[in-house]
Amino acid sequence: MVTLIGMGPGGPGSLTEEAVRALEGAELLIGARRLLSAVRISTAERIPEYRPEAVFDVIRPAPDRNICVIYSGDTGFYSGAAKLITLLEQKGIPFRVVPGLSSVQIFAARLGLSWQDWRLCSAHGISLDPVREVLKGGDVFFLTGGNTTPATLCRALADAGLGGLSAAAGEELSYPGERIRRGTAAELAGEHFAPLSVLLVRRAAPDRGKSDHKAAGCERAVHKTAADPGKGDKQRLMISAMGSGSGKTVLTCGLLEALTERGLSCEAFKCGPDYIDPMFHTRVLGVPSRNLDLFLQGYEGVRRSLASQRRRVALIEGAMGFYDGVSGTTDMSAWELAKTQRIPAVLAVRPSGSSVTLAAQLKGVLDFRAPSPVVGVILTACRPALYDHLRPILERETGLPVLGYLPPMEEAAIESRHLGLLTVEEVEDFKARFQAVGEQIEKTVDIDRLLSLAGGSENISKVAASDEKSEPDCTIAVARDEAFCFYYADSLDALERAGAKLVFFSPLRDKKLPPCEGLYLGGGYPELYAGELSENSSMRKSIAAAVRGGLPTVAECGGFLYLQEILESSDGISYPMAGVLPGRGFRTDRLQRFGYAYLAAETDSLLFRAGERIPVHEFHYWESTENGSDLAAEKPDGRKWRCGFTSPTLYAGFPHLSLSGSLPLAERLVMAARKEGSL
């Protein structure tokens, strides 16, 4: 039997189940070299040939063999397949045709669209006027090839005054080098594309009212590989929202649980400087969640963090509202991160008291900035009946697919305190709670479609991440317990890469500082454990003696309060602390100097050099009578103040640092620790 198999754009992800079975049972494979190299599920003999007459000459001597002839299927009826069929029919050789998924179908799935509702024009090796096709109205998919690429079509549209039309291009679809780019026709006209690509030009938002998606049933795609990349690929997707309190963290953790239960390896990232949400991600997955902070790390630092992705799927949880950035701008926002790193975003939306108005708000989010990386919506704390009512309205009015919902659940209600959610150790039945959320998401969110919308990691970062770490030649003690738990995973990694061995200890329970050449006291909730910290007098004395003796020390926020003389607890009682620094920490009723700022160093010290400008973040309700004055702080909006204690062996202050940013802060701490060890 001869089987003619369509492979769509040629990648294994476009094979149907019937095609896979045929290839597994094949004795001989015939096709173009690039297609043969893409088929790894068969050990059959392979002959690289695609010309119909030459293929027929291979088949004719052995018509009884189980032969598969593979074609890419984006130009007409598999191009040369039509002529081979004629030759087979003339000689009476039995054959069958197994169609594949086309590039258009795969591209539409990546964009979350229904390809059947659009016009399709082939620009593969034929003369085509894209302006005339677009002016016919509606939205058009163009298949490109030869000398015609998405860029040449978009240039023609731009020259005709249609450069402002929304466009998207996909190349190498289902291959490891798959890339999807969105923008206006004018923007795409200036880019370079592979010849075999797909271009979508949009004239209006499609009517999504006829969508056959029913999240309550969550029917799985028949060809699951179309929504699921090859085993070697990595995917990234952002979960953002229109504002805080939309359920981003619970949704992200539930999705991580559901994806892991499916057997997919996952990891997580968090936009911005938040410490608590990454703790939730880490507890669900058992692997560190990393922060992506354009302000603290810079663009290169963020790319390095993204390049550290080692697992199949990465979910990036947004911060605040999608566009909320620095000082009332979109700078450093989740939108800017998604845009610059080419990460598709799904919005977690908690509906309340509106329907069409909610659609208007979503449409506003889509149109507020271009390009929009938003590709879908998931409704949170939404009852099934409300979901059934809202879904067709939102899809019709916005063109966005509504991918499902998370109903109100007792397990999804996580308590908060003054700095955000409770820490993971304080959440009762954490594992069972998020297993329940994950099971619910599996029932009411279309996970296959969600995965089809995720971006490939090769689209985002070309910066290589290094796992290489220097051989440890010094030890840095890191305070880590319920009172001190605010650390960035990349900061700890940066210390290890610089040559430090990290030893964790508890100022709450351990009796003294472990042997070390450096000390890192991070932030957290020392005010909640002030009594216990004070009672552990041997630890307080041990740390005080070490810091006074010149042990290189970094103390941020909560760690800074611990080094001072007095700390007021959450119930208003004052307790003695380490007493290395002057000052009394006390509670206030609002956040103090909240947000990003820069520190200006005027003299050399442990971490900083004179003239440097260091990005930092503050997030605390407790204030001190002595904030220090060694550094000049300034917010992006111009507000200024003095803060911090610095010396050749100390940084202590409320501002939090990223040790993985553009300045070699981790290296400087390790260098000082090495000197301490050599004394």
Side-chain angles (χ1 to χ4, degrees), residues 381-438:
C382 180
R383 298 188 182 281
L386 180 59
Y387 171 78
D388 290 339
H389 172 69
L390 287 177
R391 182 185 60 80
I393 296 172
L394 299 181
E395 291 188 331
R396 181 187 70 236
E397 298 294 340
T398 69
L400 286 173
V402 180
L403 302 166
Y405 68 99
L406 182 64
M409 298 177 63
E410 182 180 349
E411 293 88 346
I414 308 295
E415 293 182 38
S416 298
R417 63 157 67 93
H418 56 283
L419 293 184
L421 296 173
L422 297 178
T423 59
V424 292
E425 290 80 8
E426 299 169 294
V427 177
E428 187 177 352
D429 298 325
F430 185 97
K431 184 174 180 61
R433 181 184 294 268
F434 281 100
Q435 281 180 337
V437 174

Side-chain angles (χ1 to χ4, degrees), residues 48-94:
E49 186 57 74
Y50 62 90
R51 294 168 299 168
E53 294 83 358
V55 172
F56 181 71
D57 288 342
V58 174
I59 293 173
R60 185 169 49 181
D64 295 331
R65 294 184 71 186
N66 194 353
I67 300 173
C68 287
V69 185
I70 52 180
Y71 296 92
S72 83
D74 279 339
T75 55
F77 186 70
Y78 307 136
S79 302
K83 186 159 187 185
L84 179 61
I85 287 173
T86 300
L87 295 173
L88 294 171
E89 288 176 336
Q90 289 174 352
K91 295 298 181 180
I93 297 176

